[in-house]
Amino acid sequence: MFPRSKERENQRITSLTLLGFLILTWVSSIESRFVVEKNSLRVTSPDDVKGTYDSAIGNFGIPQYGGSMAGTVIYPKDNKKGCKDFSDFSISFKKKPGQLPTFVLLDRGDCFFALKVWNAQQAGAAAVLVADDVDEALITMDTPEEDSVSAKYIENITIPSALIERSFGDTLKKAFKKGDMVNVNLDWREAVPHPDDRVEYELWTTSNDECGVKCQMLMGFMKDFKGAAQILEKGGYTQFTPHYITWYCPQAFTISKQCKSQCINHGRYCAPDPEQDFSRGYEGKDVVVENLRQLCVYKVANETRKPWIWWDYVTDFQIRCPMKDQKYNKDCAEGVIKSLGIDLKKIEKCMGDPEADSDNPVLKEEQEAQIGKGARGDVTILPTLVVNNHQYRGKLEKGAVLKAICSGFEETTEPAVCLSDEVETNECLDNNGGCWQDKASNVTACKDTFRGRVCECPLINGVQFQGDGYSLCKPNGPGKCKINNGGCWHESRHGQTFTACVDHEDTCKCPAGFKGDGVNSCEDIDECKEKTACQCSDCSCKNTWGSYDCSCSGDLLYMKDHDTCISKSAAQAKSTWAAVWLSLIGLAMIASGGYLFYKYRIRQYMDSEIRAIMAQYMPLDSQTEIVNHSDDRA
């Protein structure tokens, strides 16, 4: 027996070994044939190097699909492999006014392709050519396994790059030694063919949102590209098809714990464990089932001639049902399906039984589609975009992908979305875009943008609604009760209206005389039955809606403030004495007012008399001094 920790480690190694074996089984089963996508590189000078050469488009950065770029090639004296920052060598490739853009030639080796391109971009390069260091057929420069360091620069590479053969690289270096200026033209206009007036493209994706940087990039792209994709599809300009990669478990391992956790249909369709840890979190088969559900959403939506709804489902599922919140499950998925008005029974019928020991027609078709046909190679990289049967190479970013798709149209036949992003999708007009809506107050969380519709709680008359935007939005803060009573209970009867909304409260509270949750209902409290009203011995209680009435027997009157009954004579006596006291108080106030008025008038009269007497004996400040002429001489 191993110690417990040693046994656990041994199980982990066995699991990972089997996982690697499954991947190799899938790769070998489809006889992988990777096709390198190329663009044309034409040298225009010097004369002895003139001609057209092949170059392999890098799988990062932004190739200029549908266009071309001219530039001057520079081979740096230092940092020839581009693995270090060029500023350390005081080297800059920034273009001067009137000068052609700079294409930097670098040697392969010592560091990742993407790092070479990033360092050259930082120094001002407009494009990068990497010369192979061995004699071999061209390969595709791909991104490295993502980590926190590489992820920061990979997603920010915006210039195109290409790998050239070793012999061509040596030819260019000889030209530099002779002092020749090397000018080249990179051309991507034929990188995507355009056989007809409709572009067909497909995206190989996954519903797994916990596979690191690549998954984050994929999820971000799908949200950003959704609007443009739906416009192209609704206009009939494109035909889009989503795909999902699966592999099978070898027959000898179908009953193993690892295959059972990663596969459905008895090992026929598998996906990697999201955390690559079989002892925690979600399992690979959870991913396969959700991938199958997303395929069926597309198929059912396509049958109703609305295939673009797939984009709404996958983006909403990412937002509402993430793995990190433990919501990646059937219930959450079906909630999204219902909100979009998709027939759930058709989805379930399409998915079939994941436990059945038989082929699933939908997933079997996907496995066959993974094998390349014609000019398209096998799909071995996830995610992969294929445009007009040619695999896209470059950054998975809205602008770059849209340019690649639009380059599939013949010139002057591009739809408007290819020329401008200032468009609206009008998705809120159909089923309110699957977002929250209050029909009573005509308030909705659906907003149309050029990226597609988004479900965000609105701001109405200065009142901000809060919620997830899909199933709930509630007004919050001052003034919220003016908008549909703040989403709280309210009711009117017999000319009286009660509400559970309180402006300065975050929750709904039933008013006095009612009990309940304050949101859906507030029930009238029977104060008489609960013995909380009319406790005096001589009074009787009658319940009313939201309150109560008490009455006394005989000629007694009920005093609500004291919850007691008193005789009418006593009440009348009290009323008489109250009237007397009120009269006396009134007379006292009148007398006091008269006395104050009398003193005010006397004071005014005395002041005026005193001023008149004093004016006879001395000039006042307001009078002009009289001039004395007795001393004047003629």
Side-chain angles (χ1 to χ4, degrees):
M1 293 289 291
F2 289 108
R4 184 166 297 180
S5 60
K6 183 70 175 177
E7 183 180 5
R8 192 181 302 117
E9 178 65 15
N10 187 54
Q11 290 175 349
R12 189 183 72 84
I13 294 173
T14 302
S15 300
L16 293 178
T17 302
L18 178 58
L19 175 61
F21 180 73
L22 290 175
I23 296 173
L24 290 175
T25 301
W26 167 69
V27 173
S28 62
S29 69
I30 62 174
E31 298 177 356
S32 181
R33 182 176 62 88
F34 187 86
V35 174
V36 176
E37 300 295 339
K38 302 175 182 178
N39 66 306
S40 174
L41 188 156
R42 184 165 55 91
V43 179
T44 57
S45 69
D47 291 339
D48 56 345
V49 190
K50 269 186 180 181
T52 301
Y53 303 84
D54 282 337
S55 61
I57 305 174
N59 201 32
F60 47 83
I62 303 179
Q64 302 298 314
Y65 281 101
S68 61
M69 180 187 295
T72 301
V73 180
I74 291 179
Y75 185 52
K77 294 181 180 179
D78 297 306
N79 198 24
K80 295 180 183 297
K81 293 185 177 181
C83 295
K84 298 179 180 179
D85 195 320
F86 281 98
S87 63
D88 295 342
F89 302 89
S90 301
I91 297 175
S92 174
F93 306 121
K94 292 182 180 179
K95 184 172 76 79
K96 297 179 181 179
Q99 182 183 1
L100 283 173
T102 301
F103 296 170
V104 179
L105 175 65
L106 299 173
D107 293 328
R108 182 181 178 182
D110 292 354
C111 62
F112 295 125
F113 291 122
L115 180 59
K116 297 174 185 287
V117 177
W118 169 248
N119 287 334
Q121 176 181 301
Q122 289 295 91
V128 173
L129 303 178
V130 178
D132 206 341
D133 57 355
V134 293
D135 292 317
E136 62 179 356
L138 288 173
I139 64 171
T140 296
M141 299 187 297
D142 198 9
T143 56
E145 288 295 324
E146 291 88 351
D147 54 34
S148 58
V149 177
S150 62
K152 292 180 180 178
Y153 65 77
I154 290 173
E155 64 181 34
N156 292 314
I157 296 176
T158 58
I159 62 174
S161 59
L163 182 73
I164 62 175
E165 294 178 348
R166 178 180 180 178
S167 58
F168 178 44
D170 291 341
T171 300
L172 294 179
K173 292 173 188 176
K174 288 179 182 178
F176 295 132
K177 284 184 179 180
K178 292 190 298 182
D180 291 332
M181 177 182 286
V182 179
N183 291 331
V184 302
N185 193 348
L186 293 174
D187 195 335
W188 296 269
R189 284 177 293 185
E190 297 302 323
V192 177
H194 33 78
D196 51 37
D197 58 357
R198 185 181 70 176
V199 173
E200 298 178 5
Y201 71 104
E202 55 194 55
L203 177 65
W204 291 83
T205 179
T206 179
S207 61
N208 180 3
D209 60 5
E210 287 293 312
C211 62
V213 177
K214 275 198 173 181
C215 279
Q216 295 173 7
M217 175 190 68
L218 174 61
M219 302 308 169
F221 163 73
M222 293 174 74
K223 291 176 185 177
D224 289 343
F225 194 69
K226 180 182 70 170
Q230 291 178 324
I231 291 172
L232 289 168
E233 202 73 8
K234 289 178 182 179
Y237 301 109
T238 60
Q239 179 180 330
F240 168 74
T241 307
H243 288 293
Y244 296 81
I245 291 179
T246 62
W247 67 83
Y248 67 86
C249 182
Q251 184 66 34
F253 296 98
T254 54
I255 61 174
S256 68
K257 176 183 177 182
Q258 289 76 20
C259 275
K260 287 183 177 180
S261 71
Q262 295 182 97
C263 311
I264 65 173
N265 293 94
H266 290 248
R268 287 175 173 84
Y269 313 104
C270 311
D273 186 280
E275 298 86 8
Q276 295 187 9
D277 185 344
F278 297 100
S279 63
R280 65 181 180 88
Y282 288 97
E283 298 178 318
K285 66 181 181 181
D286 296 324
V287 177
V288 180
V289 170
E290 179 54 34
N291 287 349
L292 175 58
R293 183 179 288 110
Q294 295 188 5
L295 281 167
C296 287
V297 166
Y298 171 77
K299 289 183 178 296
V300 171
N302 198 36
E303 289 172 1
T304 61
R305 297 185 179 181
K306 294 181 179 179
W308 50 83
I309 293 178
W310 178 87
W311 290 91
D312 287 325
Y313 175 79
V314 294
T315 52
D316 286 0
F317 184 82
Q318 293 169 17
I319 297 170
R320 300 174 65 177
C321 314
M323 287 184 176
K324 64 180 180 181
D325 293 341
Q326 304 298 312
K327 294 181 179 179
Y328 186 93
N329 53 48
K330 178 182 178 182
D331 291 340
C332 188
E334 290 183 350
V336 178
I337 290 172
K338 291 176 182 178
S339 71
L340 295 173
I342 306 172
D343 193 327
L344 183 58
K345 291 184 178 179
K346 288 185 177 180
I347 300 294
E348 293 173 345
K349 183 179 179 181
C350 170
M351 292 180 66
D353 182 10
E355 300 299 326
D357 188 6
S358 59
D359 288 334
N360 181 296
V362 177
L363 292 178
K364 186 176 182 181
E365 184 180 343
E366 288 299 291
Q367 285 186 341
E368 293 174 352
Q370 291 168 204
I371 303 173
K373 297 176 182 179
R376 198 209 80 186
D378 299 331
V379 177
T380 58
I381 300 174
L382 192 67
T384 289
L385 184 75
V386 179
V387 182
N388 281 351
N389 212 34
H390 279 63
Q391 290 188 17
Y392 167 84
R393 293 286 181 255
K395 184 178 181 181
L396 202 63
E397 182 264 343
K398 178 190 173 183
V401 170
L402 186 59
K403 184 175 290 187
I405 291 174
C406 292
S407 69
F409 297 102
E410 290 190 13
E411 198 169 353
T412 73
T413 66
E414 305 95 339
V417 69
C418 290
L419 307 175
S420 172
D421 281 343
E422 300 301 318
V423 292
E424 289 185 352
T425 57
N426 294 323
E427 291 181 69
C428 295
L429 300 178
D430 187 11
N431 196 34
N432 197 52
C435 303
W436 171 86
Q437 182 183 28
D438 184 356
K439 294 182 179 179
S441 55
N442 194 28
V443 178
T444 176
C446 189
K447 294 180 181 179
D448 269 311
T449 71
F450 71 90
R451 289 192 175 107
R453 75 97 175 88
V454 292
C455 296
E456 293 181 355
C457 293
L459 176 66
I460 306 294
N461 297 329
V463 178
Q464 178 64 58
F465 284 66
Q466 293 183 343
D468 62 8
Y470 296 94
S471 58
L472 177 67
C473 283
K474 290 177 61 178
N476 187 57
K480 70 173 187 177
C481 295
K482 295 179 182 179
I483 302 177
N484 195 26
N485 286 279
C488 301
W489 169 89
H490 68 285
E491 190 174 348
S492 297
R493 289 186 191 177
H494 315 301
Q496 283 187 306
T497 300
F498 289 94
T499 178
C501 183
V502 184
D503 268 337
H504 60 275
E505 295 282 351
D506 292 332
T507 58
C508 300
K509 291 185 178 180
C510 292
F514 293 87
K515 62 180 179 179
D517 61 10
V519 178
N520 300 313
S521 66
C522 284
E523 298 179 0
D524 176 51
I525 298 174
D526 191 340
E527 291 89 346
C528 301
K529 186 176 181 180
E530 293 186 6
K531 306 294 185 181
T532 59
C534 305
Q535 297 298 303
C536 55
S537 57
D538 298 322
C539 56
S540 60
C541 183
K542 179 182 179 182
N543 187 61
T544 61
W545 187 60
S547 187
Y548 61 90
D549 288 329
C550 292
S551 59
C552 299
S553 59
D555 63 343
L556 298 179
L557 292 178
Y558 179 73
M559 302 293 289
K560 189 171 184 178
D561 292 339
H562 302 283
D563 192 27
T564 187
C565 292
I566 62 174
S567 64
K568 289 185 178 179
S569 58
Q572 290 174 351
K574 277 190 173 185
S575 300
T576 302
W577 277 108
V580 170
W581 279 108
L582 286 173
S583 299
L584 292 174
I585 291 172
L587 289 173
M589 290 178 66
I590 292 171
S592 298
Y595 175 73
L596 292 173
F597 179 75
Y598 170 75
K599 286 191 68 177
Y600 173 76
R601 293 293 295 169
I602 288 295
R603 181 63 180 269
Q604 273 195 327
Y605 175 76
M606 291 297 293
D607 285 346
S608 62
E609 288 294 320
I610 291 170
R611 288 178 65 84
I613 293 170
M614 292 182 67
Q616 295 178 13
Y617 297 97
M618 65 184 68
L620 298 180
D621 293 339
S622 58
Q623 293 178 333
T624 305
E625 184 176 355
I626 300 173
V627 180
N628 189 348
H629 300 281
S630 58
D631 293 333
D632 289 352
R633 288 185 173 88

